[in-house]
Amino acid sequence: MPHKSFMWNTVAFYLISGCIVEGLISDPADGSLEVFLRTIMAFASSATLLLIVKKLGYFKQLFTAIFVCENFIMTLATITEAMYFFMVMEHIEFAEEISIAIGFVLVGWYIAIVSYILRKILFYKTSTSVILAFSYFILTYGIPMLFMDI
């Protein structure tokens, strides 16, 4: 079971790195708001899932594992943004396509890791955990993104 301070440190790292990445992609204020909304959705969707399956005692474990994954992927996204900036400055022809391709790989990898976490913590079949991981991704990234577009 992860220590409570470790859980909050992973959330803080996510908020800081997420604001940096989103600030590089779009307006820093809008990006920061979107990161905070994603964090709220992550709390809510994790808690809701665990309430439904009557395993709320796993909240710290699940939430920490997912946010360690988030931080790892966010770190790679930050590196990708830096790489994209370098490619643009060097006038590399397919810089945008390369950056987008890496983004798709990171999203796929993220869904695979969250799926693995759900499978190991909640003992779900692979297909169920992939569907839940994809749903989690839509809830935590899609809904805040839609909210920001309104």
Side-chain angles (χ1 to χ4, degrees):
M1 179 79 65
H3 196 272
K4 195 176 201 175
S5 66
F6 181 72
M7 181 179 112
W8 291 115
N9 287 337
T10 59
V11 172
F13 183 87
Y14 174 77
L15 289 170
I16 293 166
S17 61
C19 289
I20 290 169
V21 169
E22 291 298 329
L24 291 171
I25 295 171
S26 65
D27 176 71
D30 286 344
S32 297
L33 179 59
E34 187 174 334
V35 171
F36 285 108
L37 290 172
R38 286 195 315 238
T39 305
I40 291 167
M41 287 304 298
F43 270 110
S45 57
S46 297
T48 302
L49 170 65
L50 292 173
L51 276 171
I52 290 170
V53 298
K54 296 178 174 76
K55 294 185 178 184
L56 196 56
Y58 288 102
F59 181 77
K60 273 199 314 191
Q61 186 178 2
L62 176 65
F63 193 76
T64 303
I66 288 176
F67 264 77
V68 167
C69 166
E70 296 266 6
N71 290 339
F72 178 67
I73 297 297
M74 195 61 71
T75 301
L76 294 176
T78 305
I79 293 167
T80 302
E81 285 297 317
M83 198 172 72
Y84 175 68
F85 177 75
F86 175 76
M87 289 188 295
V88 168
M89 297 307 289
E90 293 296 317
H91 304 289
I92 295 177
E93 185 177 351
F94 297 106
E96 189 169 352
E97 289 82 0
I98 292 168
S99 183
I100 290 170
I102 292 171
F104 276 111
V105 169
L106 290 177
V107 168
W109 198 5
Y110 171 80
I111 291 171
I113 294 170
V114 171
S115 172
Y116 179 81
I117 291 167
L118 291 170
R119 192 166 45 105
K120 289 299 181 176
I121 291 177
L122 301 176
F123 306 107
Y124 286 139
K125 293 180 182 178
T126 301
S127 58
T128 303
S129 64
V130 169
I131 291 168
L132 284 173
F134 185 75
S135 300
Y136 177 82
F137 176 77
I138 296 298
L139 286 171
T140 57
Y141 284 84
I143 290 176
M145 197 179 299
L146 286 173
F147 180 80
M148 296 305 296
D149 288 340
I150 294 176

